[in-house]
Amino acid sequence: MKAVFFDVFGTLVDWRSGVARESRRILEPRGISLDWHAFAQAWRDQYQPALEQVRSGRQAFVKLGQLHRRNVGPVLARFGVSDLPEEVLSELVRAWHRLDGWPDAAPGLQMLAKSFLIAPVSNGEIALMVDLARLNGFPWDAILGAEIAQDYKPKPRVYLAACEAFNLPPEECLMADAHSSDLAAAARCGLRTAHIARPNEAGPGRGESKPTVPVDIVAQSVEDLARQLAR
Amino acid sequence: MKAVFFDVFGTLVDWRSGVARESRRILEPRGISLDWHAFAQAWRDQYQPALEQVRSGRQAFVKLGQLHRRNVGPVLARFGVSDLPEEVLSELVRAWHRLDGWPDAAPGLQMLAKSFLIAPVSNGEIALMVDLARLNGFPWDAILGAEIAQDYKPKPRVYLAACEAFNLPPEECLMADAHSSDLAAAARCGLRTAHIARPNEAGPGRGESKPTVPVDIVAQSVEDLARQLAR
């Protein structure tokens, strides 16, 4: 094993609290009040249908930020909010660049970086990954993932492009993720897999506390993964 | 100015001494003796013709390592060396992953990273950049350059793909390079430019001590560039 790849949204950073907090910070001064966590969830729920447009080939690859921008208006409308100026909508999209890592994420990555190459293999674009890394101290060797593959997980190309970028065969790469379905896709590409428990990803008790598919490593946190790999 | 991009071979790392040292380390135990610096220079001289095959569209993009691998046999033959086993040739290609940075490179990048996003925009591939970063302590935010652009400098696509990866317009990006012709290409794409003096890049007195084209900043080293940008 030479490299460890990471999913980011949900696995390393808490998108639900972060998007709720940032949306409130941006919209409340404009007199808008809504269920901020429900808004974060509703926006996130548009994620997979938007990615599927690209994965299916119905539209050319665009960065996740552009998909977030396209989705935010319709989601706000469902919460009774409309007619926001363009700069406010852009600022809302920037909420995804300001998400806090789970407490174990940065320390665990620092430990892993001593023995392995590490990179995000996220559906988020390079600029977004760079901002999250700066904010949270994620010591990546490179930013891999959807943008360099020009497609979205769980399409095989995304996992394979990451291995190829490091000049490594898939069996020397480990994909760490809090989402079993994505780990299944990585395993089908020949990568090793580690499940990271995030039982509260989408709210209390609404996340995977354990994998629902066979994986190579079951970890309770990124630090736990680092400890298991150090044995 | 939000980001500073760097050329790597010659600008940040000393390819001539490094390739000479590594080639000697690999070949001398096999009873081979030759002018190691001349060998390094001859191998490097194959660089532009190989890249031109890709830039011209005569061949699809392949990583620099594959071009180094293709060129090493013919160059060795000119020095009277042939019939080396494949694993020795591969090890020779790995010499390019073990080059030392100029003394000012890592400290200068550390200073710049406090105020700017920084990334290599090199013709070297991601895996090669990652190895040089690990060896020398280059604190990159992301690895940009030829591999993500799927073309080679000085083609405009390489500079523009780097700006786009950071979601920045070219005028908010600075290209730092010891080679005037590459800076001219970056300037034509709208990037700002900084020349880094490397008067001994290809041997004593065989490098650019100052730019031969108009640039925005003339620097004696990466640390000097960081100091000038901090003013």
Side-chain angles (χ1 to χ4, degrees), chain A residues 63 97 113-114 116-118 125-127 130 134 140-144 147-148 164-167, chain B residues 63 97 113-114 116-118 125-127 130-131 134 140-144 147-148 164-167:
Chain A
K63 298 184 194 183
H97 294 240
K114 292 176 187 156
F116 305 99
L117 297 179
I118 59 170
E125 67 262 40
I126 292 172
V130 164
R134 281 282 181 134
W140 302 125
D141 286 288
I143 308 291
L144 307 178
E147 188 170 351
I148 69 154
E164 291 167 14
F166 278 169
N167 286 347
Chain B
K63 298 183 194 184
H97 294 239
K114 292 176 187 157
F116 305 99
L117 296 179
I118 59 170
E125 67 261 39
I126 293 172
V130 164
D131 286 344
R134 280 282 181 134
W140 302 126
D141 286 288
I143 308 292
L144 307 178
E147 187 170 351
I148 68 155
E164 291 166 15
F166 278 169
N167 286 346

mmCIF file of all heavy atoms in Angstrom, chain A residues 63 97 113-114 116-118 125-127 130 134 140-144 147-148 164-167, chain B residues 63 97 113-114 116-118 125-127 130-131 134 140-144 147-148 164-167:
data_model
loop_
_atom_site.group_PDB
_atom_site.id
_atom_site.type_symbol
_atom_site.label_atom_id
_atom_site.label_comp_id
_atom_site.label_asym_id
_atom_site.label_seq_id
_atom_site.Cartn_x
_atom_site.Cartn_y
_atom_site.Cartn_z
ATOM 1 N N LYS A 63 -17.703 21.759 -13.128
ATOM 2 C CA LYS A 63 -17.260 21.607 -11.747
ATOM 3 C C LYS A 63 -18.452 21.594 -10.787
ATOM 4 O O LYS A 63 -19.488 22.204 -11.058
ATOM 5 C CB LYS A 63 -16.326 22.765 -11.370
ATOM 6 C CG LYS A 63 -15.059 22.816 -12.191
ATOM 7 C CD LYS A 63 -14.154 23.940 -11.683
ATOM 8 C CE LYS A 63 -13.046 24.234 -12.684
ATOM 9 N NZ LYS A 63 -12.108 25.254 -12.192
ATOM 10 N N HIS A 97 -16.896 25.950 0.573
ATOM 11 C CA HIS A 97 -15.434 26.119 0.709
ATOM 12 C C HIS A 97 -15.033 26.383 2.163
ATOM 13 O O HIS A 97 -13.860 26.562 2.451
ATOM 14 C CB HIS A 97 -14.944 27.310 -0.139
ATOM 15 C CG HIS A 97 -15.093 27.120 -1.617
ATOM 16 N ND1 HIS A 97 -14.033 27.140 -2.487
ATOM 17 C CD2 HIS A 97 -16.184 26.897 -2.396
ATOM 18 C CE1 HIS A 97 -14.461 26.952 -3.727
ATOM 19 N NE2 HIS A 97 -15.774 26.815 -3.704
ATOM 20 N N ALA A 113 0.189 10.751 6.492
ATOM 21 C CA ALA A 113 1.140 11.353 5.551
ATOM 22 C C ALA A 113 2.573 10.924 5.831
ATOM 23 O O ALA A 113 3.438 11.033 4.968
ATOM 24 C CB ALA A 113 1.024 12.883 5.587
ATOM 25 N N LYS A 114 2.825 10.430 7.044
ATOM 26 C CA LYS A 114 4.186 9.976 7.362
ATOM 27 C C LYS A 114 4.551 8.695 6.614
ATOM 28 O O LYS A 114 5.727 8.419 6.388
ATOM 29 C CB LYS A 114 4.330 9.751 8.870
ATOM 30 C CG LYS A 114 4.260 11.052 9.653
ATOM 31 C CD LYS A 114 4.317 10.811 11.155
ATOM 32 C CE LYS A 114 4.069 12.117 11.901
ATOM 33 N NZ LYS A 114 3.572 11.904 13.258
ATOM 34 N N PHE A 116 2.331 7.307 3.844
ATOM 35 C CA PHE A 116 1.650 7.123 2.562
ATOM 36 C C PHE A 116 1.523 8.454 1.831
ATOM 37 O O PHE A 116 1.495 9.507 2.457
ATOM 38 C CB PHE A 116 0.224 6.578 2.781
ATOM 39 C CG PHE A 116 0.180 5.311 3.578
ATOM 40 C CD1 PHE A 116 -0.123 5.335 4.939
ATOM 41 C CD2 PHE A 116 0.469 4.091 2.984
ATOM 42 C CE1 PHE A 116 -0.144 4.165 5.688
ATOM 43 C CE2 PHE A 116 0.451 2.917 3.728
ATOM 44 C CZ PHE A 116 0.145 2.950 5.080
ATOM 45 N N LEU A 117 1.419 8.367 0.510
ATOM 46 C CA LEU A 117 0.925 9.511 -0.241
ATOM 47 C C LEU A 117 -0.560 9.635 0.054
ATOM 48 O O LEU A 117 -1.255 8.617 0.144
ATOM 49 C CB LEU A 117 1.139 9.302 -1.752
ATOM 50 C CG LEU A 117 2.585 9.194 -2.227
ATOM 51 C CD1 LEU A 117 2.613 8.976 -3.744
ATOM 52 C CD2 LEU A 117 3.385 10.443 -1.864
ATOM 53 N N ILE A 118 -1.032 10.855 0.221
ATOM 54 C CA ILE A 118 -2.461 11.052 0.497
ATOM 55 C C ILE A 118 -3.035 12.113 -0.442
ATOM 56 O O ILE A 118 -2.367 13.093 -0.773
ATOM 57 C CB ILE A 118 -2.741 11.433 1.965
ATOM 58 C CG1 ILE A 118 -2.023 12.734 2.357
ATOM 59 C CG2 ILE A 118 -2.339 10.302 2.918
ATOM 60 C CD1 ILE A 118 -2.463 13.273 3.726
ATOM 61 N N GLU A 125 -14.256 20.158 -6.806
ATOM 62 C CA GLU A 125 -13.192 20.572 -7.718
ATOM 63 C C GLU A 125 -11.910 20.953 -6.966
ATOM 64 O O GLU A 125 -11.907 21.114 -5.748
ATOM 65 C CB GLU A 125 -13.655 21.744 -8.588
ATOM 66 C CG GLU A 125 -13.911 23.045 -7.843
ATOM 67 C CD GLU A 125 -15.387 23.250 -7.537
ATOM 68 O OE1 GLU A 125 -16.073 22.260 -7.184
ATOM 69 O OE2 GLU A 125 -15.843 24.411 -7.613
ATOM 70 N N ILE A 126 -10.836 21.158 -7.721
ATOM 71 C CA ILE A 126 -9.523 21.450 -7.145
ATOM 72 C C ILE A 126 -9.582 22.684 -6.244
ATOM 73 O O ILE A 126 -9.107 22.663 -5.103
ATOM 74 C CB ILE A 126 -8.477 21.631 -8.271
ATOM 75 C CG1 ILE A 126 -8.230 20.289 -8.990
ATOM 76 C CG2 ILE A 126 -7.167 22.192 -7.717
ATOM 77 C CD1 ILE A 126 -7.365 20.384 -10.250
ATOM 78 N N ALA A 127 -10.177 23.773 -6.719
ATOM 79 C CA ALA A 127 -10.192 25.027 -5.943
ATOM 80 C C ALA A 127 -10.929 24.839 -4.617
ATOM 81 O O ALA A 127 -10.539 25.413 -3.592
ATOM 82 C CB ALA A 127 -10.848 26.143 -6.760
ATOM 83 N N VAL A 130 -8.702 22.764 -2.293
ATOM 84 C CA VAL A 130 -7.591 23.588 -1.797
ATOM 85 C C VAL A 130 -8.058 24.479 -0.653
ATOM 86 O O VAL A 130 -7.377 24.601 0.380
ATOM 87 C CB VAL A 130 -7.005 24.420 -2.962
ATOM 88 C CG1 VAL A 130 -6.144 25.563 -2.447
ATOM 89 C CG2 VAL A 130 -6.209 23.522 -3.903
ATOM 90 N N ARG A 134 -6.662 24.287 3.195
ATOM 91 C CA ARG A 134 -6.071 25.433 3.891
ATOM 92 C C ARG A 134 -6.783 25.692 5.219
ATOM 93 O O ARG A 134 -6.158 25.960 6.236
ATOM 94 C CB ARG A 134 -6.176 26.686 3.011
ATOM 95 C CG ARG A 134 -5.130 26.748 1.929
ATOM 96 C CD ARG A 134 -3.800 27.196 2.542
ATOM 97 N NE ARG A 134 -2.760 27.300 1.536
ATOM 98 C CZ ARG A 134 -1.931 28.342 1.446
ATOM 99 N NH1 ARG A 134 -2.036 29.364 2.266
ATOM 100 N NH2 ARG A 134 -0.987 28.337 0.529
ATOM 101 N N TRP A 140 -2.384 17.422 1.981
ATOM 102 C CA TRP A 140 -2.422 16.620 0.754
ATOM 103 C C TRP A 140 -1.122 16.671 -0.039
ATOM 104 O O TRP A 140 -0.492 17.723 -0.127
ATOM 105 C CB TRP A 140 -3.550 17.110 -0.151
ATOM 106 C CG TRP A 140 -4.920 17.091 0.415
ATOM 107 C CD1 TRP A 140 -5.796 18.142 0.492
ATOM 108 C CD2 TRP A 140 -5.624 15.949 0.966
ATOM 109 N NE1 TRP A 140 -6.975 17.739 1.065
ATOM 110 C CE2 TRP A 140 -6.903 16.413 1.364
ATOM 111 C CE3 TRP A 140 -5.294 14.615 1.167
ATOM 112 C CZ2 TRP A 140 -7.846 15.563 1.950
ATOM 113 C CZ3 TRP A 140 -6.222 13.781 1.755
ATOM 114 C CH2 TRP A 140 -7.481 14.251 2.134
ATOM 115 N N ASP A 141 -0.788 15.563 -0.670
ATOM 116 C CA ASP A 141 0.316 15.553 -1.641
ATOM 117 C C ASP A 141 -0.114 16.125 -2.980
ATOM 118 O O ASP A 141 0.687 16.726 -3.699
ATOM 119 C CB ASP A 141 0.823 14.119 -1.842
ATOM 120 C CG ASP A 141 1.627 13.645 -0.650
ATOM 121 O OD1 ASP A 141 2.754 14.140 -0.485
ATOM 122 O OD2 ASP A 141 1.128 12.805 0.126
ATOM 123 N N ALA A 142 -1.359 15.889 -3.347
ATOM 124 C CA ALA A 142 -1.898 16.388 -4.617
ATOM 125 C C ALA A 142 -3.408 16.405 -4.472
ATOM 126 O O ALA A 142 -3.957 15.775 -3.562
ATOM 127 C CB ALA A 142 -1.486 15.483 -5.784
ATOM 128 N N ILE A 143 -4.068 17.152 -5.346
ATOM 129 C CA ILE A 143 -5.529 17.154 -5.365
ATOM 130 C C ILE A 143 -5.985 16.326 -6.561
ATOM 131 O O ILE A 143 -5.830 16.742 -7.718
ATOM 132 C CB ILE A 143 -6.094 18.589 -5.489
ATOM 133 C CG1 ILE A 143 -5.491 19.523 -4.433
ATOM 134 C CG2 ILE A 143 -7.618 18.550 -5.425
ATOM 135 C CD1 ILE A 143 -5.887 19.261 -3.005
ATOM 136 N N LEU A 144 -6.516 15.144 -6.279
ATOM 137 C CA LEU A 144 -7.017 14.287 -7.361
ATOM 138 C C LEU A 144 -8.552 14.306 -7.290
ATOM 139 O O LEU A 144 -9.123 15.142 -6.615
ATOM 140 C CB LEU A 144 -6.427 12.883 -7.208
ATOM 141 C CG LEU A 144 -4.879 12.865 -7.091
ATOM 142 C CD1 LEU A 144 -4.354 11.450 -6.894
ATOM 143 C CD2 LEU A 144 -4.241 13.501 -8.318
ATOM 144 N N GLU A 147 -12.284 16.440 -10.913
ATOM 145 C CA GLU A 147 -11.834 17.418 -11.913
ATOM 146 C C GLU A 147 -10.738 16.855 -12.808
ATOM 147 O O GLU A 147 -10.758 17.082 -14.022
ATOM 148 C CB GLU A 147 -11.367 18.713 -11.244
ATOM 149 C CG GLU A 147 -11.070 19.809 -12.276
ATOM 150 C CD GLU A 147 -10.829 21.186 -11.664
ATOM 151 O OE1 GLU A 147 -11.055 21.356 -10.450
ATOM 152 O OE2 GLU A 147 -10.421 22.082 -12.404
ATOM 153 N N ILE A 148 -9.800 16.104 -12.233
ATOM 154 C CA ILE A 148 -8.760 15.554 -13.125
ATOM 155 C C ILE A 148 -9.304 14.391 -13.950
ATOM 156 O O ILE A 148 -8.808 14.111 -15.032
ATOM 157 C CB ILE A 148 -7.453 15.144 -12.392
ATOM 158 C CG1 ILE A 148 -7.645 13.926 -11.494
ATOM 159 C CG2 ILE A 148 -6.825 16.303 -11.642
ATOM 160 C CD1 ILE A 148 -6.340 13.170 -11.291
ATOM 161 N N GLU A 164 -3.645 6.313 -11.448
ATOM 162 C CA GLU A 164 -2.733 6.607 -12.560
ATOM 163 C C GLU A 164 -1.928 7.884 -12.301
ATOM 164 O O GLU A 164 -0.756 7.965 -12.676
ATOM 165 C CB GLU A 164 -3.529 6.748 -13.868
ATOM 166 C CG GLU A 164 -4.108 5.422 -14.340
ATOM 167 C CD GLU A 164 -5.158 5.591 -15.444
ATOM 168 O OE1 GLU A 164 -5.249 6.686 -16.030
ATOM 169 O OE2 GLU A 164 -5.897 4.613 -15.700
ATOM 170 N N ALA A 165 -2.550 8.868 -11.662
ATOM 171 C CA ALA A 165 -1.833 10.123 -11.374
ATOM 172 C C ALA A 165 -0.637 9.870 -10.466
ATOM 173 O O ALA A 165 0.383 10.545 -10.562
ATOM 174 C CB ALA A 165 -2.770 11.143 -10.740
ATOM 175 N N PHE A 166 -0.763 8.896 -9.585
ATOM 176 C CA PHE A 166 0.351 8.543 -8.698
ATOM 177 C C PHE A 166 1.211 7.419 -9.289
ATOM 178 O O PHE A 166 2.097 6.897 -8.601
ATOM 179 C CB PHE A 166 -0.173 8.138 -7.323
ATOM 180 C CG PHE A 166 -0.483 9.303 -6.397
ATOM 181 C CD1 PHE A 166 -1.181 9.086 -5.218
ATOM 182 C CD2 PHE A 166 -0.066 10.596 -6.687
ATOM 183 C CE1 PHE A 166 -1.454 10.140 -4.347
ATOM 184 C CE2 PHE A 166 -0.351 11.658 -5.825
ATOM 185 C CZ PHE A 166 -1.042 11.425 -4.652
ATOM 186 N N ASN A 167 0.954 7.050 -10.514
ATOM 187 C CA ASN A 167 1.693 5.945 -11.169
ATOM 188 C C ASN A 167 1.618 4.663 -10.346
ATOM 189 O O ASN A 167 2.611 3.925 -10.238
ATOM 190 C CB ASN A 167 3.165 6.319 -11.383
ATOM 191 C CG ASN A 167 3.363 7.324 -12.513
ATOM 192 O OD1 ASN A 167 2.465 7.576 -13.305
ATOM 193 N ND2 ASN A 167 4.551 7.897 -12.593
ATOM 194 N N LYS B 63 3.029 11.113 -20.333
ATOM 195 C CA LYS B 63 3.714 11.795 -19.239
ATOM 196 C C LYS B 63 5.200 11.945 -19.533
ATOM 197 O O LYS B 63 5.795 11.138 -20.250
ATOM 198 C CB LYS B 63 3.541 10.997 -17.943
ATOM 199 C CG LYS B 63 2.101 10.867 -17.489
ATOM 200 C CD LYS B 63 2.034 10.126 -16.154
ATOM 201 C CE LYS B 63 0.620 9.682 -15.862
ATOM 202 N NZ LYS B 63 0.481 9.044 -14.523
ATOM 203 N N HIS B 97 13.129 11.976 -10.165
ATOM 204 C CA HIS B 97 12.282 12.093 -8.964
ATOM 205 C C HIS B 97 13.118 12.404 -7.721
ATOM 206 O O HIS B 97 12.571 12.503 -6.632
ATOM 207 C CB HIS B 97 11.517 10.782 -8.716
ATOM 208 C CG HIS B 97 10.511 10.446 -9.770
ATOM 209 N ND1 HIS B 97 9.161 10.285 -9.510
ATOM 210 C CD2 HIS B 97 10.646 10.226 -11.110
ATOM 211 C CE1 HIS B 97 8.517 9.979 -10.627
ATOM 212 N NE2 HIS B 97 9.396 9.930 -11.606
ATOM 213 N N ALA B 113 3.678 30.741 0.677
ATOM 214 C CA ALA B 113 2.455 30.012 1.007
ATOM 215 C C ALA B 113 1.633 30.714 2.075
ATOM 216 O O ALA B 113 0.437 30.460 2.217
ATOM 217 C CB ALA B 113 2.799 28.592 1.449
ATOM 218 N N LYS B 114 2.272 31.623 2.817
ATOM 219 C CA LYS B 114 1.517 32.353 3.843
ATOM 220 C C LYS B 114 0.531 33.348 3.229
ATOM 221 O O LYS B 114 -0.449 33.716 3.857
ATOM 222 C CB LYS B 114 2.486 33.098 4.774
ATOM 223 C CG LYS B 114 3.308 32.145 5.638
ATOM 224 C CD LYS B 114 4.328 32.894 6.474
ATOM 225 C CE LYS B 114 5.243 31.888 7.181
ATOM 226 N NZ LYS B 114 6.533 32.485 7.546
ATOM 227 N N PHE B 116 -0.210 33.365 -0.509
ATOM 228 C CA PHE B 116 -0.721 33.001 -1.827
ATOM 229 C C PHE B 116 -0.976 31.497 -1.921
ATOM 230 O O PHE B 116 -0.341 30.712 -1.205
ATOM 231 C CB PHE B 116 0.307 33.364 -2.927
ATOM 232 C CG PHE B 116 0.723 34.806 -2.908
ATOM 233 C CD1 PHE B 116 1.909 35.198 -2.310
ATOM 234 C CD2 PHE B 116 -0.093 35.781 -3.472
ATOM 235 C CE1 PHE B 116 2.294 36.533 -2.265
ATOM 236 C CE2 PHE B 116 0.286 37.117 -3.430
ATOM 237 C CZ PHE B 116 1.479 37.496 -2.837
ATOM 238 N N LEU B 117 -1.876 31.119 -2.820
ATOM 239 C CA LEU B 117 -1.923 29.714 -3.236
ATOM 240 C C LEU B 117 -0.690 29.480 -4.097
ATOM 241 O O LEU B 117 -0.313 30.338 -4.904
ATOM 242 C CB LEU B 117 -3.187 29.433 -4.055
ATOM 243 C CG LEU B 117 -4.514 29.599 -3.312
ATOM 244 C CD1 LEU B 117 -5.684 29.301 -4.269
ATOM 245 C CD2 LEU B 117 -4.577 28.679 -2.098
ATOM 246 N N ILE B 118 -0.062 28.325 -3.927
ATOM 247 C CA ILE B 118 1.129 28.026 -4.732
ATOM 248 C C ILE B 118 0.998 26.630 -5.352
ATOM 249 O O ILE B 118 0.472 25.708 -4.728
ATOM 250 C CB ILE B 118 2.442 28.122 -3.921
ATOM 251 C CG1 ILE B 118 2.454 27.152 -2.734
ATOM 252 C CG2 ILE B 118 2.677 29.559 -3.446
ATOM 253 C CD1 ILE B 118 3.818 27.043 -2.053
ATOM 254 N N GLU B 125 5.091 15.278 -14.597
ATOM 255 C CA GLU B 125 3.778 14.748 -14.228
ATOM 256 C C GLU B 125 3.531 14.836 -12.720
ATOM 257 O O GLU B 125 4.454 15.105 -11.930
ATOM 258 C CB GLU B 125 3.646 13.293 -14.693
ATOM 259 C CG GLU B 125 4.543 12.299 -14.001
ATOM 260 C CD GLU B 125 5.787 11.984 -14.814
ATOM 261 O OE1 GLU B 125 6.354 12.920 -15.437
ATOM 262 O OE2 GLU B 125 6.216 10.804 -14.814
ATOM 263 N N ILE B 126 2.293 14.573 -12.322
ATOM 264 C CA ILE B 126 1.881 14.694 -10.924
ATOM 265 C C ILE B 126 2.764 13.848 -10.009
ATOM 266 O O ILE B 126 3.263 14.324 -8.990
ATOM 267 C CB ILE B 126 0.382 14.308 -10.770
ATOM 268 C CG1 ILE B 126 -0.510 15.347 -11.478
ATOM 269 C CG2 ILE B 126 0.000 14.188 -9.290
ATOM 270 C CD1 ILE B 126 -1.988 14.966 -11.565
ATOM 271 N N ALA B 127 2.988 12.581 -10.361
ATOM 272 C CA ALA B 127 3.752 11.675 -9.490
ATOM 273 C C ALA B 127 5.184 12.185 -9.287
ATOM 274 O O ALA B 127 5.759 12.056 -8.210
ATOM 275 C CB ALA B 127 3.762 10.267 -10.077
ATOM 276 N N VAL B 130 5.080 15.234 -6.988
ATOM 277 C CA VAL B 130 4.814 14.815 -5.611
ATOM 278 C C VAL B 130 6.106 14.306 -4.965
ATOM 279 O O VAL B 130 6.415 14.637 -3.818
ATOM 280 C CB VAL B 130 3.707 13.741 -5.596
ATOM 281 C CG1 VAL B 130 3.668 13.000 -4.267
ATOM 282 C CG2 VAL B 130 2.358 14.383 -5.895
ATOM 283 N N ASP B 131 6.873 13.522 -5.703
ATOM 284 C CA ASP B 131 8.128 13.005 -5.144
ATOM 285 C C ASP B 131 9.120 14.132 -4.863
ATOM 286 O O ASP B 131 9.777 14.149 -3.819
ATOM 287 C CB ASP B 131 8.753 11.974 -6.090
ATOM 288 C CG ASP B 131 7.995 10.649 -6.068
ATOM 289 O OD1 ASP B 131 7.207 10.430 -5.124
ATOM 290 O OD2 ASP B 131 8.194 9.842 -6.991
ATOM 291 N N ARG B 134 7.940 15.997 -1.727
ATOM 292 C CA ARG B 134 8.230 15.261 -0.493
ATOM 293 C C ARG B 134 9.707 15.355 -0.124
ATOM 294 O O ARG B 134 10.079 15.555 1.023
ATOM 295 C CB ARG B 134 7.846 13.787 -0.681
ATOM 296 C CG ARG B 134 6.353 13.529 -0.522
ATOM 297 C CD ARG B 134 5.998 13.509 0.961
ATOM 298 N NE ARG B 134 4.591 13.243 1.155
ATOM 299 C CZ ARG B 134 4.135 12.373 2.051
ATOM 300 N NH1 ARG B 134 4.980 11.664 2.783
ATOM 301 N NH2 ARG B 134 2.850 12.212 2.207
ATOM 302 N N TRP B 140 3.142 22.625 -1.637
ATOM 303 C CA TRP B 140 2.153 22.950 -2.674
ATOM 304 C C TRP B 140 0.717 22.835 -2.169
ATOM 305 O O TRP B 140 0.399 21.927 -1.406
ATOM 306 C CB TRP B 140 2.307 22.015 -3.867
ATOM 307 C CG TRP B 140 3.648 22.017 -4.529
ATOM 308 C CD1 TRP B 140 4.440 20.934 -4.765
ATOM 309 C CD2 TRP B 140 4.343 23.142 -5.099
ATOM 310 N NE1 TRP B 140 5.582 21.309 -5.431
ATOM 311 C CE2 TRP B 140 5.552 22.667 -5.647
ATOM 312 C CE3 TRP B 140 4.058 24.500 -5.192
ATOM 313 C CZ2 TRP B 140 6.476 23.497 -6.281
ATOM 314 C CZ3 TRP B 140 4.969 25.327 -5.817
ATOM 315 C CH2 TRP B 140 6.163 24.827 -6.350
ATOM 316 N N ASP B 141 -0.144 23.702 -2.688
ATOM 317 C CA ASP B 141 -1.587 23.550 -2.457
ATOM 318 C C ASP B 141 -2.187 22.505 -3.382
ATOM 319 O O ASP B 141 -3.139 21.825 -3.014
ATOM 320 C CB ASP B 141 -2.298 24.893 -2.694
ATOM 321 C CG ASP B 141 -2.035 25.871 -1.562
ATOM 322 O OD1 ASP B 141 -2.595 25.646 -0.475
ATOM 323 O OD2 ASP B 141 -1.271 26.833 -1.754
ATOM 324 N N ALA B 142 -1.666 22.403 -4.580
ATOM 325 C CA ALA B 142 -2.152 21.429 -5.561
ATOM 326 C C ALA B 142 -1.045 21.233 -6.578
ATOM 327 O O ALA B 142 -0.106 22.032 -6.643
ATOM 328 C CB ALA B 142 -3.416 21.942 -6.268
ATOM 329 N N ILE B 143 -1.122 20.145 -7.334
ATOM 330 C CA ILE B 143 -0.162 19.908 -8.404
ATOM 331 C C ILE B 143 -0.856 20.199 -9.724
ATOM 332 O O ILE B 143 -1.736 19.445 -10.160
ATOM 333 C CB ILE B 143 0.355 18.445 -8.399
ATOM 334 C CG1 ILE B 143 0.868 18.030 -7.017
ATOM 335 C CG2 ILE B 143 1.418 18.262 -9.478
ATOM 336 C CD1 ILE B 143 2.127 18.704 -6.539
ATOM 337 N N LEU B 144 -0.473 21.304 -10.347
ATOM 338 C CA LEU B 144 -1.061 21.657 -11.648
ATOM 339 C C LEU B 144 0.007 21.419 -12.714
ATOM 340 O O LEU B 144 1.025 20.791 -12.444
ATOM 341 C CB LEU B 144 -1.559 23.103 -11.601
ATOM 342 C CG LEU B 144 -2.510 23.398 -10.412
ATOM 343 C CD1 LEU B 144 -2.920 24.871 -10.391
ATOM 344 C CD2 LEU B 144 -3.733 22.488 -10.459
ATOM 345 N N GLU B 147 0.196 17.661 -16.854
ATOM 346 C CA GLU B 147 -0.672 16.478 -16.796
ATOM 347 C C GLU B 147 -2.148 16.862 -16.726
ATOM 348 O O GLU B 147 -2.981 16.223 -17.373
ATOM 349 C CB GLU B 147 -0.299 15.567 -15.614
ATOM 350 C CG GLU B 147 -1.087 14.258 -15.656
ATOM 351 C CD GLU B 147 -0.593 13.225 -14.649
ATOM 352 O OE1 GLU B 147 0.463 13.429 -14.025
ATOM 353 O OE2 GLU B 147 -1.275 12.192 -14.501
ATOM 354 N N ILE B 148 -2.474 17.894 -15.955
ATOM 355 C CA ILE B 148 -3.901 18.265 -15.921
ATOM 356 C C ILE B 148 -4.317 18.975 -17.206
ATOM 357 O O ILE B 148 -5.477 18.941 -17.589
ATOM 358 C CB ILE B 148 -4.305 19.096 -14.679
ATOM 359 C CG1 ILE B 148 -3.687 20.495 -14.687
ATOM 360 C CG2 ILE B 148 -3.989 18.365 -13.372
ATOM 361 C CD1 ILE B 148 -4.530 21.482 -13.870
ATOM 362 N N GLU B 164 -7.516 28.205 -14.313
ATOM 363 C CA GLU B 164 -8.889 27.692 -14.207
ATOM 364 C C GLU B 164 -9.039 26.726 -13.034
ATOM 365 O O GLU B 164 -10.075 26.699 -12.379
ATOM 366 C CB GLU B 164 -9.294 26.998 -15.515
ATOM 367 C CG GLU B 164 -9.460 27.982 -16.667
ATOM 368 C CD GLU B 164 -9.533 27.286 -18.032
ATOM 369 O OE1 GLU B 164 -9.732 26.048 -18.080
ATOM 370 O OE2 GLU B 164 -9.377 27.992 -19.050
ATOM 371 N N ALA B 165 -8.014 25.927 -12.777
ATOM 372 C CA ALA B 165 -8.094 24.969 -11.664
ATOM 373 C C ALA B 165 -8.263 25.699 -10.341
ATOM 374 O O ALA B 165 -8.915 25.185 -9.423
ATOM 375 C CB ALA B 165 -6.847 24.092 -11.629
ATOM 376 N N PHE B 166 -7.687 26.877 -10.224
ATOM 377 C CA PHE B 166 -7.844 27.681 -9.004
ATOM 378 C C PHE B 166 -9.024 28.649 -9.110
ATOM 379 O O PHE B 166 -9.194 29.497 -8.233
ATOM 380 C CB PHE B 166 -6.552 28.448 -8.708
ATOM 381 C CG PHE B 166 -5.491 27.636 -7.993
ATOM 382 C CD1 PHE B 166 -4.198 28.127 -7.866
ATOM 383 C CD2 PHE B 166 -5.775 26.386 -7.439
ATOM 384 C CE1 PHE B 166 -3.219 27.398 -7.193
ATOM 385 C CE2 PHE B 166 -4.792 25.654 -6.770
ATOM 386 C CZ PHE B 166 -3.517 26.157 -6.649
ATOM 387 N N ASN B 167 -9.801 28.551 -10.168
ATOM 388 C CA ASN B 167 -10.936 29.464 -10.387
ATOM 389 C C ASN B 167 -10.490 30.923 -10.381
ATOM 390 O O ASN B 167 -11.183 31.791 -9.849
ATOM 391 C CB ASN B 167 -12.024 29.267 -9.312
ATOM 392 C CG ASN B 167 -12.808 27.992 -9.503
ATOM 393 O OD1 ASN B 167 -12.750 27.359 -10.549
ATOM 394 N ND2 ASN B 167 -13.556 27.604 -8.482
#
